[in-house]
Amino acid sequence: MVPEPDEEIDENHNAVRERTPTACAGVRSLDQFGTKWRLRILYNLFEGDHRFNELKRASGASSYTLSRVLESLEEDGIVDRRVEPGPPVETHYSLTQKGEALEPVFDAIDQWSTEWIAETDEGPSV
């Protein structure tokens, strides 16, 4: 199955990592969580464990997109996958300690956005 054009999975993700091996820590950290789908999925996992279909509904991602991003987050050590034998087989996703450590980062971004990005995107709200 080919993803819809607007659902490219971490487009050029590996290429960017290869081109910027000596980037500062901030830039390298964005490789771990800074894409559209990664952000949406992580945001939902801050609430706690979720099954695949729960994450699909909450994030709006297609099954293909969600499975690829979850696989990538698992490889990066941010998300943990737990399979409970069935029937039906249940797959649960949760944040690892590394993933949970991102919550204050998301809070800081939210605070910055509230202060500096007006709802109409006209600039600082100060």
Side-chain angles (χ1 to χ4, degrees):
M1 178 178 171
V2 178
E4 295 296 319
D6 65 335
E7 293 186 345
E8 291 298 321
I9 313 306
D10 292 335
E11 185 176 313
N12 300 319
H13 188 76
N14 291 328
V16 169
R17 284 185 179 181
E18 290 172 11
R19 284 194 309 265
T20 58
T22 58
C24 71
V27 171
R28 287 193 320 267
S29 68
L30 288 175
D31 282 344
Q32 298 283 308
F33 67 88
T35 65
K36 170 184 172 179
W37 294 113
R38 285 172 171 245
L39 291 169
R40 289 181 181 193
I41 292 164
L42 290 171
Y43 178 78
N44 287 292
L45 287 172
F46 288 135
E47 299 171 354
D49 292 8
H50 285 284
R51 292 176 58 187
F52 185 87
N53 284 333
E54 293 171 336
L55 283 172
K56 183 179 172 186
R57 279 189 301 275
S59 69
S62 69
S63 295
Y64 178 84
T65 297
L66 182 58
S67 64
R68 301 298 299 155
V69 173
L70 284 169
E71 182 179 293
S72 178
L73 287 167
E74 187 177 5
E75 288 173 6
D76 288 339
I78 295 172
V79 169
D80 184 47
R81 182 175 148 244
R82 184 181 82 249
V83 179
E84 294 183 6
V89 173
E90 293 184 6
T91 305
H92 296 263
Y93 296 90
S94 60
L95 294 172
T96 62
Q97 186 175 4
K98 180 179 178 181
E100 289 172 350
L102 286 169
E103 191 164 11
V105 175
F106 275 63
D107 291 342
I109 292 169
D110 186 51
Q111 182 178 356
W112 179 86
S113 297
T114 300
E115 183 176 343
W116 292 99
I117 300 176
E119 287 186 32
T120 59
D121 205 28
E122 293 176 2
S125 59
V126 178

